[in-house]
Amino acid sequence: MRYGFFDDSRREYVITRPDTPLPWINYLGNKSYFGLVSNTAGGYSFYRDARLRRLTRYRYNNVPTDTGGRYIYVRDDGPPPAAGEYWSPTWQPARRPLETYSCRHGLGYTAIGSTYLGIEAQTRYFVPLGENLEVWQLIVTNHRENVARLSVFSCVEFCLWDAWDDATNFQRNFSIGEVEVDANDDSPGVIYHKSEYRERRNHFAFFACSEPLAGFDTQREDFLGPYGSWDSPAAVARGCSFNSVAHGWAPIGSHHVRLELQPGETRQIIFVLGYHENPDEEKFDPPGSQQIDKRTVRPIIDRYLDAGNVEAAFAALRAYWDELLGVFQVETPDIHTSRMVNIWNAYQCMVTFNLSRSASFFESGIGRGMGFRDSNQDLLGFVHMVPERARERILDLAATQLESGGAYHQYQPLTKRGNDAVGGGFNDDPLWLILAVGAYLKETGDWSILDEPVPYDNRPGSEQPLYDHLERSLRYTLDRLGPHGLPLIGRADWNDCLNLNTFSSTPGESFQTADTKDGTTAESVFIAGLFVLAAKELAGIARWRGSPQEADRFEVEAAKMESVVCQHGWDGDWFLRAYDDRSHKVGSRECAEGQIFVEPQGICVMAGIGLDAGLDGSQPSAKKALASVGEQLATAHGIVLLQPAYTRYYLHLGEISSYPPGYKENAGIFCHTNPWIMIAEAIVGDGDRAHDYYLRINPSAREKIGDLHRCEPYVYAQMIAGSDAPTHGEAKNSWLTGTAAWNYVAITQWILGIRPTFDGLEIAPIVPNDWPGFEATRIFRGVTYRISVDRVGRGNSVALLVDGSPIEGHLVPLPPLGQTEVMVNVALGRAGD
Ligand code: BGC
Ligand code: NOJ
């Protein structure tokens, strides 16, 4: 069954029935204030940190699912027969059988509308650029032949800021809730949530309504009634608020507005929910009282209760996205490719940039901050859209690096400090910083970033140029080599669940934080491949920077590691995965299970290992490794992580074998790894295979199997159940995954082949043989490149005409200063072939 369709011209996905297989969500916010919003208005909001500054409550794992949201109820106040009927225009939480329903998820906004009993109600939620608030526009139209007398109730449930504490510390929480209410007869009504404001917090939340209030509620149990629930609140059922003021228990914000609409009449009500901070010395008004000083917040509230200002803010939001997405637009023969590149994949990259892995339907916002390796990889997918924010992100990340070159695995977005609560020693972590900085330099040409002084572990006085951080990242690997000369794996490498030093036998113990052995034996072929890739990248950086000797040194290290991989990292038909704590092979034909893993096949080929080898198997061969992937790991739904799946728990392997076969790291289709294989296929020149793999996990291409896939068809999911799973093809953990950035890189830079380099834009498409060509516009270092690719024969050779003149090779040099447009015509393939 289809649950909706793409409206590409508006850059929206339109959901046409509310009961999607899972909540299909979207994100609001761009910089500091964020929210999740589902297709039925479920979700929550927070300021910068989903754990520490959560504004509203959401109940994960609740029934019905997706409970807690931006709720609106409409009630018919009479006359009969509809008198007393009430519903939610967003379907949840009242879940009436709406006559029409649609949800449009757009870029940074969601609009949900419906009709019931002749009353149309359209909601639109968005966060204006640069503001710490969200606007809800509600437009109600009376399609009846008679006057409609209606009540509108809004409702949010406030979170007492720290989401973890909020969900656990009831003995305290039930006593600390505090609110203030401004509800004069003729001015807009504002509810302030100020729990803990009296003491050490200087922030509060506000929830305002553009209309005079008929009433309000701020105490949940009054609004809902004894043992009440969100689908039938007492206040809504009886048609009148209780004007409750919360002292402790569960503070909410609910406005009650009465409307009288003539036939055909339309009215707009605006609600504004937001976060505000006062300076310490201006918390209270009058000073010495316990009342919030509202002098700085009121003008902000008033601005967004004005319909004209709201429309202008919405137009600015759309323009912002048009500009961001305008950096790279394509027209290809394949709609799924064009749509994902032009709209949704780029959008998802911005979301992973902002949220890392913190808050989604699958990430509670409590557990995980900003991942070091995750954020570095995410950068690959957004650097072209917001380079100045990429710069800031790189400097933030590098500032958490340790003097040893190692990294905290995560940092908290609010403090930007490394988070000790999560285990460290993931030995791949620091290498990703080199790839992120390389991508930034290629995109921007801003070499000054390398000279930025950046502290270690955020310690004042420890500042060194960023370049020094990159050197230490490489050194970190070289200081930790194992018995074969391969990198020690530490707690784990990219695969968090390959815990070769953990040996956990305690039920429930976290593999991320459990004690691990010192780990002087277990080695990772994956880190070796990543090291080769990163060392070559750093060599390129050093050479460009005018340090040829250092560049040579990094290349020598890369070559040495490559030869170690050739000697000890090749299994005959594919790259090995690792050596365990007893120096036994992992990911080898010698293993009973887990004989072949996808990660080293991708990363080693991307690092250039085995590109020249023949197929006899004595030496690593990229082609052979990829053929093995095709034969052993590729399924119709994507490439699984390993085969055969582990069928039981192996103490010496760790979390990977804790998952049932076919799920997550245990032979799931871990989508993040698939683009590595696409890139590898492009590197060996197979555009048909690269694009075929691309389509297997492309969400838009999977829209037609929505009942199996179940997650949103507009964004990538971390995982699709593998062929060993009873639910093969079912996706999970959508939105916050490195899959977004890597697929973006694979399709734009390697398959479409439009690739920033230190020296200019390289254009070398490796597309399917049956593609007649494609068009692209790419803004690169301030210049707009209009690229037109025409296939003249089979294969991947290219002949470039730049502004009408032929050039040698693939690299389009930057035009002379002042020229802002470049036309590139690409003849693809060899005529006659
Ligand atoms: C998951 C991994 C994830 C890790 C992070 C594991 O349970 O399987 O995908 O990276 O947790 O905490
Ligand atoms: C998800 C984590 O966020 C990422 O860092 C890791 O590489 C993958 N899981 C694989 O375990």
Side-chain angles (χ1 to χ4, degrees), residues 263-312:
E265 190 183 347
T266 290
R267 282 275 292 282
Q268 172 163 210
I269 304 177
I270 298 169
F271 299 96
V272 180
L273 172 68
Y275 170 93
H276 193 72
E277 285 175 5
N278 275 338
D280 276 347
E281 58 292 356
E282 284 167 29
K283 280 177 69 169
F284 301 110
D285 182 28
S289 77
Q290 293 294 298
Q291 298 299 305
I292 298 174
D293 184 334
K294 308 192 177 91
R295 284 172 301 172
T296 54
V297 75
R298 239 2 254 241
I300 301 173
I301 294 174
D302 290 342
R303 187 174 327 140
Y304 289 103
L305 291 180
D306 176 89
N309 292 340
V310 167
E311 285 309 321

Side-chain angles (χ1 to χ4, degrees), residues 368 373 410 496-497 512 655 659 664-665 670 718:
R368 300 168 72 186
R373 82 156 81 87
Q410 289 173 13
D496 279 328
C497 301
Q512 318 293 315
E655 186 171 1
Y659 285 113
K664 296 276 279 182
E665 280 86 343
F670 213 93
Q718 180 202 63

Side-chain angles (χ1 to χ4, degrees), residues 15-37:
I15 300 166
T16 48
R17 46 183 301 160
D19 53 344
T20 44
L22 293 166
W24 284 2
I25 73 163
N26 192 16
Y27 285 87
L28 311 177
N30 301 288
K31 204 153 184 196
S32 303
Y33 183 100
F34 294 102
L36 287 73
V37 58

